[in-house]
Amino acid sequence: MREPVELRRKRILAVVHARGAVKVSALADELDVSPVTLRRDVEELARTGMLRRGHGVVRPMGEVARTAAVPAARSGGPEGDGGAVALVVPERHSYLYETLHGARTALEEAGTRITLYIAPQAAGAERPQVERALAAGVRGLLIAPRWRSSAGEEADYGWLAEVGVPTVLMERRPRPGSALHALDSVCSDHWYGIHLAVDHLVSLGHRRLVLAARNDSPTARSIRAAFTEIAAGRPEVEDWSVVLSSPNAGPGEPGTREAVPDLPALLRDRGVTGAVLHGDEDALMLVQRLAESGIRVPRDCSVVAYDDVVAALGSTALTAVAPPRAEIGRAAAELLLHRLAHPAGTTGPVRRTELLPRLEVRGSTRGLPHPAN
């Protein structure tokens, strides 16, 4: 499916806001967008006052005034980063770019210099980026590892626990009892997010549910575990299942294989009338597939998306669980600033902070009609 224009422009804004100033040619390469498309997007974003452009470079609005007091975020390098805070995030991850923007805003307001490191889409890609940041002399670290599998996550625990500078995990919650259990972290309460979705569907009379979810991130694994627990524990739910949302949504675990079901057939076979779909792009594609198979949303099946990055942009705006992405970044940055402002050992206990998602009700859910007497 072609990337929606709105999502692509969100990605452009997220990178520009994180960097402070980016060459248009470099931005096109990084976002895997043709130069012609990128220039068209930049022109439209500039026309609507979302950013500034000129001489092959694009900047956030107000960049000139702001940089007089606060140096802009920039790509990481081996020199000149002493005293900065490093932000390490995966490449091409629109969900976490909003978290990144929230963190950058808080750090800039505090007058803290920022260096951005983008981790490629490969197992263990964060470690070399962190090592570069440490070699450059950064004094603190905000990081959101990709962690496609729990095995990959476990492999990072040892070295990340020994970074040696104040560190806060963003939108990640390490395994209880692991080496990172005692590391500061700020993340969404995905259990509560799934509770909101299931409770909404049950309140509308839906009793046969399915979760079609990714299986290649910590968020996906949390969502799957939460749905299993919540659906199994609700006496109103008569039948439920968890399936993979798309062929490229997993598997995250080495050596595992999970089939991608024919969702329209599964809904018909099991009488499903309520579905939770993770993430947004997969949700929009699945709703299209349902329509092509004669299953109308919400008339035949109510749908709740999970992420709310682009859920509202479909032909039917999707009801969605919205994790507080930007607020996660801001809270993580404020916690890191608190650690940096005080001598070691005087800043209080480790904090594992959770922020609650909200439910945005739109046009993709409705109550089941009462059967005729």
Side-chain angles (χ1 to χ4, degrees), residues 123-145:
E126 286 79 15
R127 185 171 186 174
Q129 300 300 322
V130 171
E131 289 174 347
R132 289 178 63 206
L134 295 174
V138 298
R139 62 194 184 101
L141 173 66
L142 291 173
I143 183 170

Side-chain angles (χ1 to χ4, degrees), residues 9-366:
R9 290 177 180 171
K10 271 192 171 186
R11 292 172 61 206
I12 292 169
L13 287 171
V15 174
V16 172
H17 287 154
R19 301 280 182 82
V22 190
K23 288 184 178 180
V24 172
S25 58
L27 189 58
D29 289 340
E30 180 172 332
L31 298 181
D32 195 21
V33 176
S34 74
V36 172
T37 299
L38 195 283
R39 282 194 293 271
R40 187 183 304 121
D41 286 337
V42 166
E43 288 173 1
E44 179 61 20
L45 290 169
R47 186 187 68 79
T48 57
M50 303 294 287
L51 49 74
R52 301 168 62 92
R53 68 184 180 92
H55 303 294
V57 176
V58 59
R59 296 180 173 85
M61 291 300 295
E63 180 70 21
V64 174
R66 184 173 60 246
T67 53
V70 183
R74 54 191 175 80
S75 296
E79 298 179 2
D81 293 341
V85 164
L87 288 168
V88 181
V89 296
E91 68 171 330
R92 299 176 188 172
H93 202 304
S94 57
Y95 180 101
L96 288 174
Y97 279 163
E98 292 195 38
T99 302
L100 167 65
H101 180 54
R104 184 188 192 226
T105 300
L107 292 170
E108 285 191 337
E109 289 173 355
T112 300
R113 190 156 61 87
I114 308 155
T115 307
L116 178 65
Y117 292 79
I118 305 293
Q121 298 186 48
E126 286 79 15
R127 185 171 186 174
Q129 300 300 322
V130 171
E131 289 174 347
R132 289 178 63 206
L134 295 174
V138 298
R139 62 194 184 101
L141 173 66
L142 291 173
I143 183 170
R146 187 178 297 273
W147 284 347
R148 286 179 57 86
S149 70
S150 56
E153 179 178 335
E154 293 277 347
D156 282 346
Y157 283 174
W159 69 263
L160 195 49
E162 299 177 357
V163 164
V165 298
T167 300
V168 181
L169 286 171
M170 300 185 297
E171 201 60 289
R172 299 293 183 252
R173 178 54 46 86
R175 175 180 57 79
S178 69
L180 294 189
H181 190 117
L183 187 71
D184 287 323
S185 62
V186 181
C187 69
S188 300
D189 184 346
H190 295 300
W191 186 98
Y192 184 73
I194 289 296
H195 162 74
L196 290 176
V198 172
D199 194 63
H200 178 62
L201 291 171
V202 168
S203 73
L204 295 174
H206 300 284
R207 299 293 181 261
R208 306 180 76 82
L209 310 178
V210 65
L211 169 69
R214 304 189 65 86
N215 191 22
D216 59 357
S217 72
T219 295
R221 293 189 289 274
S222 295
I223 286 170
R224 285 169 160 248
F227 184 87
T228 298
E229 177 186 342
I230 292 168
R234 290 292 295 254
E236 307 97 323
V237 177
E238 298 171 0
D239 183 77
W240 60 272
S241 56
V242 177
V243 299
L244 197 64
S245 56
S246 73
N248 65 355
E253 304 301 328
T256 64
R257 186 178 298 277
E258 186 175 358
V260 181
D262 181 340
L263 189 63
L266 181 127
L267 265 58
R268 290 191 178 100
D269 292 345
R270 302 187 69 154
V272 171
T273 63
V276 182
L277 308 179
H278 169 250
D280 277 8
E281 292 181 64
D282 290 339
L284 292 172
M285 293 180 68
L286 288 170
V287 168
Q288 291 177 11
R289 283 178 51 199
L290 294 178
E292 292 164 0
S293 300
I295 298 175
R296 296 158 297 182
V297 173
R299 180 169 177 177
D300 302 317
C301 181
S302 285
V303 167
V304 178
Y306 199 104
D307 273 359
D308 202 32
V309 176
V310 293
L313 303 179
S315 55
T316 298
L318 303 184
T319 293
V321 175
R325 298 176 296 277
E327 291 85 353
I328 292 291
R330 173 174 282 277
E334 289 172 349
L335 177 53
L336 181 61
L337 289 169
H338 174 70
R339 298 299 187 205
L340 293 172
H342 297 83
T346 67
T347 58
V350 171
R351 301 180 187 181
R352 291 164 60 89
T353 304
E354 287 188 327
L355 304 184
L356 300 188
R358 66 184 187 278
L359 183 70
E360 296 289 350
V361 178
R362 302 189 181 104
S364 65
T365 54
R366 75 171 199 172

